[in-house]
Amino acid sequence: MNAAQRKGILGASALVLLAFGGGKFWSDRKAQRFASATAREKGWILIEQYGCTECHQDNNSFRAPLLKDLVGRTIRLQDGRERQADEEYVKKSIMDPKAEVRQGYQPIMPSYEGRIGADELAFIVAALRPESLQKP
């Protein structure tokens, strides 16, 4: 059996697994991964799950500001003020994104008020905190 045939069999096996309850297997795996993750890792999992990276990309700040290591940075707002992007700013920006919009961006982010709980919000903030500011 050549490599292409093995690949085809593996792909077909995966489809059969998904068709007969494999979806639960994959969601169980995600739950296990989340349960064993650090607070920072949980935050990045949630950032992916909520689709934040559709606009907040790793290497492109065209649509939205970069998120990596945001907490602790000094940022400029649309009204010209500068402020530190502390944890309260990050939380408010997720729940009420039009309150303090970053300079150079349009206020297009939707509010996550009522969609993200306090625990999830804390994990997201942990993800945006630089390694040097991580809490034990």
Side-chain angles (χ1 to χ4, degrees):
M1 179 180 306
N2 65 32
Q5 290 170 321
R6 280 194 301 272
K7 194 174 188 181
I9 289 171
L10 287 173
S13 300
L15 288 175
V16 169
L17 179 64
L18 286 173
F20 294 101
K24 180 174 176 2
F25 169 77
W26 290 114
S27 28
D28 288 349
R29 297 273 304 196
K30 282 183 178 178
Q32 289 172 348
R33 182 176 150 228
F34 190 82
S36 64
T38 65
R40 185 178 182 148
E41 292 166 340
K42 287 178 182 179
W44 283 112
I45 291 168
L46 291 166
I47 287 167
E48 286 287 328
Q49 177 184 314
Y50 281 108
C52 305
T53 55
E54 292 298 316
C55 294
H56 296 278
Q57 299 173 353
D58 284 347
N59 57 359
N60 183 342
S61 62
F62 176 71
R63 281 190 240 170
L66 301 174
L67 295 178
K68 187 176 188 300
D69 299 338
L70 173 62
V71 174
R73 259 195 250 154
T74 300
I75 59 169
R76 186 175 301 277
L77 303 174
Q78 277 190 345
D79 64 9
R81 288 182 299 132
E82 282 191 352
R83 71 159 294 166
Q84 185 178 30
D86 58 13
E87 293 183 17
E88 289 310 309
Y89 168 81
V90 172
K91 290 176 185 177
K92 186 172 185 174
S93 292
I94 293 168
M95 297 303 179
D96 185 13
K98 291 173 178 52
E100 292 185 296
V101 179
R102 296 268 303 266
Q103 189 173 59
Y105 297 97
Q106 296 300 314
I108 60 172
M109 182 173 153
S111 170
Y112 286 85
E113 184 76 42
R115 294 170 47 192
I116 294 180
D119 289 344
E120 289 181 324
L121 194 56
F123 291 138
I124 291 170
V125 169
L128 305 184
R129 200 181 295 126
E131 286 288 336
S132 62
L133 299 177
Q134 288 298 316
K135 297 177 181 175

